[in-house]
Amino acid sequence: MGTFLILMAEASAVGSELVEEASHEGFGLNTDIFDTNLINLAIIIVVLFVFGRKALGSKLKERREKIEAAIKAAEKRTQDAQTALADQQKKLAQAQAEAERIKQAAQENAGKAKESILAQAAVDVERMKQTAAADLNTERDKAINQLRQRVVAQALEKVESQLRGGIADDAQHTLVDRSIAQLGS
């Protein structure tokens, strides 16, 4: 930018010298704004083209290199992201397969546990039935024994009372005949 200002100052000085020389030689100051603007624009364009081309070219080249680097970095990040996505999808599929396997194993274990519990319950019920039947048989035998003891006791009491009262002759003969008959058979 400093070079551009120096050139403008020199161009202005050269222009003033030309105006002075023109005024001595009979040339006057050109007051036509259109002609002077065209000349000034031409000078500015030439100066910009000559000196600005290098600066502008280097800036544009630098900008293009930055954009290319940014695009390459973005493409690399995209590839990395796609690779990471594929890896994560693979891990997700593996995790889902593992979860399904665990679920199947849990269902199988639950079925086995259910069967085991039912079998144990059936064994326990059968054992309880047997225990109850044994208890019932024991209680029945006790009751029968008690009844027998009562019957024997009552029979003995009756026999004792009859013996104390005496046995009639007919009854004694019948009892003896019966006892003999039982011994003979």
Side-chain angles (χ1 to χ4, degrees):
M1 186 74 171
T3 307
F4 178 71
L5 292 176
I6 293 173
L7 286 175
M8 288 300 292
E10 286 181 16
S12 176
V14 170
S16 338
E17 287 177 11
L18 287 174
V19 169
E20 281 181 26
E21 286 179 14
S23 64
H24 293 292
E25 297 178 6
F27 290 102
L29 184 59
N30 187 0
T31 57
D32 186 12
I33 295 175
F34 183 70
D35 287 341
T36 56
N37 279 340
L38 285 177
I39 293 170
N40 287 338
L41 282 174
I43 292 171
I44 289 174
I45 290 173
V46 168
V47 168
L48 285 175
F49 183 73
V50 170
F51 294 106
R53 179 178 61 178
K54 291 179 185 176
L56 186 61
S58 67
K59 290 289 182 184
L60 289 175
K61 183 178 178 184
E62 185 179 309
R63 176 79 175 153
R64 182 178 17 157
E65 289 172 354
K66 286 181 182 178
I67 290 172
E68 287 175 354
I71 289 173
K72 287 179 182 177
E75 288 174 350
K76 175 132 178 59
R77 285 192 307 267
T78 301
Q79 284 180 339
D80 292 344
Q82 288 175 346
T83 303
L85 176 64
D87 289 343
Q88 294 304 322
Q89 286 176 339
K90 188 186 295 182
K91 288 179 182 178
L92 175 64
Q94 289 173 348
Q96 287 174 340
E98 182 69 17
E100 186 63 31
R101 186 189 63 75
I102 290 171
K103 181 180 174 184
Q104 290 294 334
Q107 287 176 346
E108 289 175 8
N109 288 341
K112 289 177 183 176
K114 178 183 173 184
E115 290 173 7
S116 173
I117 290 170
L118 289 175
Q120 184 63 38
V123 167
D124 290 345
V125 166
E126 187 61 35
R127 184 179 44 82
M128 286 180 186
K129 283 180 182 178
Q130 290 174 355
T131 303
D135 289 346
L136 183 64
N137 288 338
T138 303
E139 291 298 318
R140 188 184 66 214
D141 290 344
K142 283 181 185 179
I144 289 172
N145 284 337
Q146 287 175 355
L147 285 175
R148 282 182 186 162
Q149 288 174 357
R150 281 187 192 170
V151 168
V152 168
Q154 287 175 354
L156 287 175
E157 284 178 17
K158 190 174 182 180
V159 169
E160 283 178 4
S161 67
Q162 285 178 355
L163 286 177
R164 286 185 195 148
I167 298 180
D169 288 335
D170 291 341
Q172 280 183 354
H173 285 284
T174 308
L175 184 60
V176 170
D177 289 336
R178 217 187 276 161
S179 294
I180 293 172
Q182 282 181 352
L183 287 175
S185 5

